[in-house]
Amino acid sequence: MQKIVVANRGAIARRIIRTCAEMGIQTVAVYSEADAGAPYLAEASEAYPLAGVQPVDTYLNQDALLAVAQNCRADAVHPGYGFLAENAGFAQKVIDNSLTFIGPAPRWLAAMGDKVSARALLAERGFPMFAGSDEVRDAQSAAAAAEKIGFPVMVKPSGGGGGMGMQIVREAAHLEDAVMRARAIGVSAFDQAGVYLEKYIEQPRHIEFQILGDGQGHAIHLYERDCSVQRRNQKLIEESPAPGLAPDRLEREAAKSAEACAGLGYDNIGTLETLFTPAGDMGFLEMNTRIQVEHGVTESVTGCDLVALQIGLARGDGLPTQPERKGFAVEARLYAEDSESMLPSTGRLSVFRPPRMFGVRVETGYVQGQVVTPFYDAMLAKIIAHGQTRELAIGRLCVALQAFAVEGVKTNATLLRRILQSADFLAGRVDTGIVDRLMGER
Amino acid sequence: MAKHEIESEVSGNVWKVLLSAGANVSEGDVIMILESMKMEIPVEASCDGVLQQVCVQPEDQVEEDQVLAVIED
């Protein structure tokens, strides 16, 4: 593998380009008109423009991306996260063009992209599940399924993910409406009308297991990340280890995740997302078939470069040995938004100075002077702090957030520091309601 | 009868226009939905009245403070 097209933008494009450079692999960047000033272009070996600014014309434009790959004689495509990363059709086209897709085989993207099929596959491998249904076809089958599961239930589009179209239904009278709405959102957002039901877990923790597989029946895990600190399904803070849970219990659940993926014959990288009830029961949520935004947390505690491992697995290097976990890592996502109104904030970064500190790593797609546009997501940077203790990692992260100078757009830095310094977070009492409680919204 | 201009709070795209000129609106009714940074941002009627004008169409790009619609109360 000598030349990789990075079919993405921003922080993850930079991240992939950096690892490729370290490995002596050339990179090809692509960029929309809105990203012409982004730093990742100069860091890549080559960069090609994609006409337009909207995702559908640029980073989601499969034909344009494949044309770039052909013209520059690349031999592989790394999709990053978001955009086409979990698009089985795109992955297959990459392969049909005699290129390597750096990610799981298309059949895994398809199987895990369909949430009903993902549930069935993991359940077959003995992975713990909360009560749920197959696809519900009409109001009657939905009512029967809800009856069996017990209210409250969560109604979800089966093509979904990331919280889109999900609705909590607490009584039978509201079920039909919710199913119709989930179906409409599924059709418009994912081109899939399927809808299914799951037991709704009140105030869960969101804990996910990082998996690597070789496609030959072997898999290892790189421990868990706790991503419970969210607001409206948007992750704000992630950490590893998950606080307040027995290490041997977590190790067992991580081993279960790896065993399930080994049994499936899963290849490359994946994340098994689970929910933990307040009583500590774990159940499957969904599986992500790509590198995650928060992969740096795992890198920080294992010393493994996940992008390098993805490339290695894609070219047949095989799995590394199970690494040990050292210390504690906490990541905060700095978003360009007004934390009060929840509105995104765009504009020119007149000042943008990430902190340089011992034990702190910053991943960003931005440099000072660049314009934050409304066309893509609002993430400005990820700040990952490591420490021998959780308290030290949190302390470093707070100092780093305070030292991060940003002018020209509003950010959520104050909210992040408020969460990090809250009594509940410091005590490791995290669940998906922590931010709303802190903001006094509930 | 006073005219109330509804301005965009963000820069972004018009994703969906839900109401058209002539519609009776109550304060808080969603007139259109904008999209900015992958977020849906509803634009609501600022008062009761009649929607006199919708100034944008789906897929239009809008700037912060741009007038999106006019209501006559």
Side-chain angles (χ1 to χ4, degrees), chain A residues 71-190:
Chain A
N71 292 341
C72 69
R73 299 196 164 79
D75 39 35
V77 174
H78 195 307
Y81 47 66
F83 297 120
L84 294 167
E86 292 173 285
N87 186 310
F90 176 66
Q92 189 58 54
K93 276 190 208 164
V94 167
I95 294 165
D96 293 345
N97 277 264
S98 308
L99 299 158
T100 301
F101 180 78
I102 301 174
R107 69 188 174 106
W108 295 121
L109 308 192
M112 300 304 175
D114 180 320
K115 303 306 166 190
V116 173
S117 131
R119 266 183 72 91
L121 281 170
L122 270 302
E124 263 170 46
R125 307 309 317 179
F127 199 77
M129 295 282 153
F130 295 121
S133 74
D134 286 332
E135 253 178 47
V136 293
R137 312 224 163 269
D138 46 37
Q140 275 133 342
S141 66
E147 188 74 16
K148 210 167 134 194
I149 296 166
F151 287 99
V153 296
M154 191 74 121
V155 177
K156 297 182 172 186
S158 54
M164 272 184 86
M166 288 179 354
Q167 294 154 88
I168 305 160
V169 178
R170 296 185 182 277
E171 49 193 300
H174 299 141
L175 187 62
E176 192 174 348
D177 272 359
V179 169
M180 305 271 276
R181 213 169 310 138
R183 179 157 295 160
I185 291 170
V187 169
S188 74
F190 317 113

Side-chain angles (χ1 to χ4, degrees), chain A residues 152 168 170 200-205 276-278 431-432 442:
Chain A
I168 305 160
R170 296 185 182 277
Y200 175 65
I201 310 295
E202 310 265 2
Q203 308 285 322
R205 288 178 69 165
F276 277 56
T277 67
D431 64 59
T432 55
R442 262 183 210 177

Side-chain angles (χ1 to χ4, degrees), chain A residues 137-442:
Chain A
R137 312 224 163 269
D138 46 37
Q140 275 133 342
S141 66
E147 188 74 16
K148 210 167 134 194
I149 296 166
F151 287 99
V153 296
M154 191 74 121
V155 177
K156 297 182 172 186
S158 54
M164 272 184 86
M166 288 179 354
Q167 294 154 88
I168 305 160
V169 178
R170 296 185 182 277
E171 49 193 300
H174 299 141
L175 187 62
E176 192 174 348
D177 272 359
V179 169
M180 305 271 276
R181 213 169 310 138
R183 179 157 295 160
I185 291 170
V187 169
S188 74
F190 317 113
D191 207 16
Q192 212 176 319
V195 171
Y196 72 110
L197 271 50
E198 264 177 12
K199 180 73 191 166
Y200 175 65
I201 310 295
E202 310 265 2
Q203 308 285 322
R205 288 178 69 165
H206 175 127
I207 296 177
E208 57 186 31
F209 298 92
Q210 180 67 62
I211 302 301
L212 296 165
D214 68 358
Q216 315 283 322
H218 309 104
I220 65 164
H221 70 79
L222 299 181
Y223 308 91
E224 80 286 353
R225 293 179 291 259
D226 191 310
C227 309
S228 302
V229 182
Q230 308 182 355
R231 195 177 181 197
R232 307 197 188 166
N233 293 316
Q234 189 186 50
K235 293 174 182 170
L236 290 176
I237 292 168
E238 299 106 337
E239 63 180 310
S240 183
L245 290 164
D248 58 337
R249 193 303 166 81
L250 288 168
E251 184 101 36
R252 272 202 312 280
E253 306 296 12
K256 259 184 222 168
S257 308
E259 274 162 34
C261 291
L264 287 170
Y266 188 82
D267 76 313
N268 211 275
I269 202 165
T271 297
L272 269 168
E273 294 195 339
T274 71
L275 296 180
F276 277 56
T277 67
D281 294 325
M282 180 182 88
F284 176 71
L285 181 63
E286 61 182 49
M287 182 155 186
N288 297 325
T289 51
R290 54 170 161 83
I291 193 159
Q292 304 264 129
V293 175
E294 59 271 28
H295 68 277
V297 172
T298 299
E299 295 182 327
S300 183
V301 290
T302 61
C304 295
D305 178 332
L306 289 186
V307 174
L309 288 169
Q310 274 192 289
I311 294 169
L313 287 164
R315 67 183 181 194
D317 291 355
L319 287 169
T321 52
Q322 176 79 46
E324 274 180 48
R325 175 158 60 180
K326 291 202 175 98
F328 295 75
V330 186
E331 171 180 277
R333 297 192 191 187
L334 190 69
Y335 289 111
E337 68 176 26
D338 180 331
S339 292
E340 290 303 316
S341 67
M342 292 283 300
L343 289 172
S345 176
T346 53
R348 187 175 161 272
L349 293 167
S350 53
V351 174
F352 190 78
R353 283 197 305 273
R356 291 164 180 270
M357 281 169 51
F358 184 79
V360 172
R361 166 180 168 191
V362 178
E363 292 286 338
T364 178
Y366 289 99
V367 287
Q368 188 159 299
Q370 204 179 331
V371 175
V372 180
T373 71
F375 306 113
Y376 317 110
D377 68 282
M379 198 176 70
L380 287 175
K382 299 175 267 192
I383 306 134
I384 306 144
H386 185 267
Q388 249 102 346
T389 63
R390 182 170 184 264
E391 292 67 31
L392 181 55
I394 293 169
R396 282 182 172 154
L397 187 51
C398 284
V399 174
L401 279 164
Q402 198 160 18
F404 204 139
V406 181
E407 282 172 32
V409 298
K410 290 176 184 156
T411 78
N412 64 340
T414 305
L415 171 65
L416 291 170
R417 285 179 49 223
R418 212 173 127 195
I419 299 166
L420 291 168
Q421 290 166 338
S422 70
D424 278 349
F425 185 82
L426 288 169
R429 286 191 301 267
V430 291
D431 64 59
T432 55
I434 186 173
V435 184
D436 285 347
R437 285 197 299 275
L438 204 64
M439 301 285 290
E441 287 177 10
R442 262 183 210 177

